Amino acid sequence: QVQLVESGGGLVQAGDSLRLSCLDSGGTFSTYAMGWFRQAPGKEREFVAAISWNGIRPYYGDSMKDRFTISRDNAKNTMYLQMDSLKAEDTAVYFCAASLRVKYGASWSGAYDSWGPGTQVTVSS
């Protein structure tokens, strides 16, 4: 059973970097695609990035592709999101998610079967 938990969130200043982690403690992590989403107060959940089960096909939301990097370490059952040049508009709760059905990930939340509880990222300007 997939059990995801995010970590690494916090309060940073604009221009800083932050790395989020997502640990799967219960499933067969290396067999499914993973994704990151975020949700700011009063806004819909937004796609951030996704990565295939083997890590060779990452892709990003339009506003993140030049600043964020998604990666995974299947030996550690962990996915990462490196966020550079953070902006105030990146402030949100960040969620990781696992897709057992779509091997190369997807940008729509309905493709994902399991979600972590989220980690707060706050960027002060």
Side-chain angles (χ1 to χ4, degrees), residues 13-82:
Q13 294 186 334
D16 285 351
S17 297
L18 206 58
R19 188 175 82 156
L20 305 182
S21 299
C22 173
L23 173 67
D24 173 23
S25 61
T28 52
F29 180 77
S30 62
T31 65
Y32 36 82
M34 297 291 295
W36 286 100
F37 288 77
R38 69 185 185 185
Q39 189 164 18
K43 296 188 177 181
E44 294 186 352
R45 191 163 294 192
E46 178 184 22
F47 171 70
V48 175
I51 191 166
S52 60
W53 63 275
N54 57 4
I56 64 172
R57 288 184 54 174
Y59 59 101
Y60 303 89
D62 288 342
S63 65
M64 301 88 171
K65 61 178 64 176
D66 295 327
R67 300 184 296 121
F68 292 5
T69 304
I70 188 173
S71 62
R72 65 189 297 163
D73 185 340
N74 286 346
K76 296 181 178 180
N77 291 349
T78 303
M79 174 180 66
Y80 305 98
L81 183 69
Q82 176 68 39

Side-chain angles (χ1 to χ4, degrees), residues 99-117:
S99 176
L100 281 66
R101 296 168 284 136
V102 182
K103 280 203 170 294
Y104 294 100
S107 60
W108 66 94
S109 60
Y112 294 85
D113 306 286
S114 296
W115 294 79

